[in-house]
Amino acid sequence: MRRFITSLLALLLFLPFQVFAQSGAFQIHSHNDYLQTVPFWTAYAAGASSIEVDLILKDGQLMAAHEVESIDPKRTIESLYLDPIAEGVKTGLVSTAQFHLLVDLKTEAYSTLEILLKSMENYRELLFSQANPNGLKLIISGNRPKPSDYASYPEWMFFDYQSKELNKDLPWSKIGMVSLSFRQFSFWNGKGRMVEAERENVQNFIDLAHSYDRPVRFWGSPDSKSAWKAFYEMGEDYINTDHPMDAADYLGKLGENVYENNVKHEIYHPLFEGDGKEVPVKNVILMIGDGNGFAQISSALFSNGNQLNLTQLKNIGLVKTQAADDFTTDSAAGATAYATGHKTNNRAIGVDPEGNALENLPDILDGFGFSSGIVTTDQLTGATPASFYAHHPERDDEKQIAAYLPKSKLDLFVGGGGDTFTSELDKLEQAGYSLVDELENWKGEKIGYFASPTSLPKMLDGRGDYLRKSTEAALSFLDGKGVPFFLMVEAANIDSGGHENSTGMIVTETLDFDEVIGSVLEFADEHPGTLVLITADHETGGVSLPQGDIESNTVELAFHSDDHTGILVPIFAYGAHSGDFRGVYENTEVFQKIMKLVERYHMR
């Protein structure tokens, strides 16, 4: 049995969430812990600070049970708690008792405590004392002695006070916790938001108990993520739950999942003078927010004073993103669909499922007299930008992908990953590219700008307004050539935020993308005949938005996955023929719709 317990504890301690690093950010009460499949160890591995066991005195033994009918002779306070704790201390797996046992007496207090005191004699070395301040404390709940008798019990034994009437005359030195039924304050079921008047009553009682420097717990409280968060925010000291692992996982990630935006950007209000008009399309700007789904857009919206440049637009469609060989696409297959109009296998760039090269938009549009460019926050060999110039079945073969850039019909490229192109520099110059090192005064027929030798930093790491400045410079350069143009702009790191389940990264990267959208919309207003398309290759993270606060620009995101999902992604359109992009359709249709307009107004 000891070997089983030790092995089990070792397994539990290496679960992926480590809540012991919380440093008291939250504390969990494992309610009716003895009903867990693995009592004590589950709560301990979850970092629970308070662990509850119901006790019934039966035939001189303290049985862990709620009622006599459920008694199992093998389930005693010793077998479920005291022996495992002692074994843990002996093996070093339990270093200190950063938890207490809340012992809920179901039988008469004095007689039950008499037996409990005798039982604890066998575990004296575990127990709290002035000489052992990290020892185990017991807090007696349920049937208790009179408060006037509390002082007669040992220093390791404290009591659970259960009354709304708190005053300075109570024996506070022996009161370890103040507990009340949540139903004395509210009938909230843990869904949505608590009625404000009831919430204030709960908050007032917590504040009252804290004024006497004692922790608070509510039993019979709702047991859900919304409830855990609400009680945490109100300062409940021991959050009551039957699901300690889930509660620890959720609360432990709350700091990462909640983000408050302190830097709002100004919104450009489009003129809509040419929006949706069936006039010749001169320029096409395709903006791809990698991994950018509905929740990502919503998180940015509510973090920016409830407004975005993106959400000013009126023509909106929905895009199906499936790959040729998989329900859930990756960026390579997703971007290839936009660039070539063909479904392909995941990991493939610019080739069909059989590996045959596909013509991409820059190649095709060159025949119609267009110039083309790509701008990205990714490395230029990344799946999305590479799909607009390369033809290779494996997205991770960076050197082979880089070799396609000098052969492409691109007139402009801007992005990271310059080191990968070291062997291609001479070929790029021979192909007519002027390789520049700044975002202004671009001169030449073709421009290449390696913004970083490797990956560019994230917004949280100080990338700044690189994407906006790069896009504005690209628009100025392409417009200055005096011919129609195609420009692909990628915000790559929204996807990274989804993969890392980072709310802060998602919000800041999506807001950065939206600032660029504002600049592009302004350009479109100043250059009639420009069509702007804003979409995503796929959604990343299975993100939802359970809570937020518009007034403080705060959102909480929840994550179903750390990978891509098959959720529909929106496409927003502005400018000439923007109404053509309404509806629900495959990602390949974006290419087809663009080409239909090009063929209508331009000659080869």
Side-chain angles (χ1 to χ4, degrees), residues 94-313:
V94 178
S95 56
T96 60
Q98 296 177 343
F99 57 88
H100 63 250
L101 294 181
L102 185 129
V103 182
D104 190 341
L105 304 183
K106 299 301 181 183
T107 45
E108 191 273 331
Y110 290 94
S111 57
T112 307
L113 285 177
E114 182 179 353
I115 299 301
L116 180 60
L117 288 170
K118 292 179 181 178
S119 296
M120 298 307 294
E121 287 294 318
N122 297 322
Y123 305 93
R124 186 176 299 174
E125 70 281 0
L126 298 178
L127 299 176
F128 168 82
S129 67
Q130 295 300 317
N132 184 21
N134 294 320
L136 177 65
K137 297 177 182 179
L138 270 61
I139 298 179
I140 307 303
S141 186
N143 294 322
R144 288 148 295 150
K146 296 176 182 179
S148 57
D149 293 334
Y150 288 178
S152 63
Y153 288 91
E155 57 185 334
W156 48 263
M157 183 178 288
F158 298 83
F159 296 89
D160 185 21
Y161 192 74
Q162 299 181 5
S163 172
K164 285 186 175 182
E165 303 301 322
L166 306 181
N167 60 70
K168 62 181 180 61
D169 297 325
L170 293 172
W172 288 111
S173 64
K174 294 295 287 181
I175 293 175
M177 181 189 300
V178 178
S179 298
L180 282 175
S181 168
F182 181 73
R183 297 306 171 198
Q184 293 189 45
F185 301 91
S186 173
F187 288 96
W188 183 49
N189 66 356
K191 310 297 182 187
R193 183 178 175 86
M194 201 184 312
V195 173
E196 181 60 22
E198 295 178 356
R199 192 202 66 80
E200 288 181 0
N201 287 337
V202 175
Q203 186 68 70
N204 289 338
F205 184 75
I206 291 173
D207 294 342
L208 177 61
H210 287 173
S211 72
Y212 291 97
D213 197 27
R214 287 298 177 272
V216 180
R217 175 183 70 98
F218 298 104
W219 77 82
S221 56
D223 200 4
S224 67
K225 291 179 180 178
S226 295
W228 300 333
K229 182 170 183 280
F231 293 132
Y232 167 73
E233 290 175 342
M234 286 190 288
E236 181 184 10
D237 300 276
Y238 296 112
I239 298 172
N240 199 76
T241 182
D242 292 326
H243 310 284
M245 285 290 193
D246 293 339
D249 186 34
Y250 172 75
L251 291 169
K253 294 176 180 177
L254 197 58
E256 301 172 22
N257 291 348
V258 175
Y259 183 78
E260 179 180 351
N261 178 44
N262 296 315
V263 183
K264 293 193 296 182
H265 63 259
E266 295 297 320
I267 300 302
Y268 173 74
H269 297 283
L271 301 179
F272 294 103
E273 292 175 352
D275 187 41
K277 289 189 177 180
E278 295 193 10
V279 297
V281 174
K282 299 178 182 178
N283 310 309
V284 179
I285 304 170
L286 175 61
M287 306 184 73
I288 300 174
D290 198 325
N292 197 27
F294 292 104
Q296 287 85 345
I297 294 169
S298 300
S299 71
L301 174 71
F302 301 132
S303 298
N304 198 60
N306 206 19
Q307 56 180 350
L308 291 176
N309 291 307
L310 183 61
T311 55
Q312 310 297 309
L313 304 186

Side-chain angles (χ1 to χ4, degrees), residues 375-583:
V375 175
T376 182
T377 56
D378 197 1
Q379 297 193 34
L380 282 158
T381 53
T384 298
S387 294
F388 289 85
Y389 70 83
H391 311 277
H392 194 71
E394 173 49 57
R395 60 182 290 177
D396 281 348
D397 291 339
E398 294 182 343
K399 290 294 185 182
Q400 292 92 323
I401 290 169
Y404 281 97
L405 189 56
K407 308 171 189 176
S408 76
K409 297 297 185 180
L410 291 172
D411 297 276
L412 167 80
F413 62 81
V414 180
D419 284 353
T420 308
F421 292 86
T422 301
S423 61
E424 305 299 326
L425 295 180
D426 288 343
K427 295 177 184 177
L428 286 168
E429 290 179 347
Q430 292 169 11
Y433 287 99
S434 299
L435 301 180
V436 300
D437 56 8
E438 57 184 0
L439 288 173
E440 55 187 9
N441 301 321
W442 288 350
K443 296 178 180 179
E445 287 298 310
K446 295 182 178 181
I447 294 295
Y449 176 48
F450 294 111
S452 170
T454 54
S455 296
L456 286 154
K458 309 295 192 295
M459 287 300 293
L460 290 173
D461 299 323
R463 188 176 70 238
D465 55 2
Y466 153 81
L467 186 58
R468 180 180 61 79
K469 287 184 175 180
S470 297
T471 302
E472 290 174 352
L475 290 171
S476 177
F477 172 75
L478 293 172
D479 183 54
K481 295 177 76 68
V483 297
F485 68 80
F486 167 78
L487 176 65
M488 191 285 294
V489 179
E490 183 203 19
N493 298 125
I494 303 169
D495 177 67
S496 301
H499 283 302
E500 295 184 24
N501 286 183
S502 169
T503 299
M505 192 183 302
I506 286 174
V507 171
T508 54
E509 295 293 339
T510 309
L511 288 175
D512 180 54
F513 187 39
D514 190 66
E515 284 203 70
V516 183
I517 290 169
S519 294
V520 172
L521 296 179
E522 185 173 7
F523 178 90
D525 279 340
E526 294 171 352
H527 297 78
T530 298
L531 169 63
V532 181
L533 302 172
I534 307 155
T535 188
D537 47 358
H538 51 72
E539 192 274 346
T540 305
V543 184
S544 64
L545 208 165
Q547 281 289 341
D549 180 58
I550 294 173
E551 185 176 345
S552 64
N553 304 311
T554 301
V555 292
E556 176 194 351
L557 298 187
F559 300 89
H560 175 74
S561 170
D562 62 0
D563 205 346
H564 303 167
T565 71
I567 298 170
L568 292 165
V569 296
I571 182 167
F572 296 77
Y574 183 72
H577 283 275
S578 59
D580 294 7
F581 290 83
R582 296 176 184 173

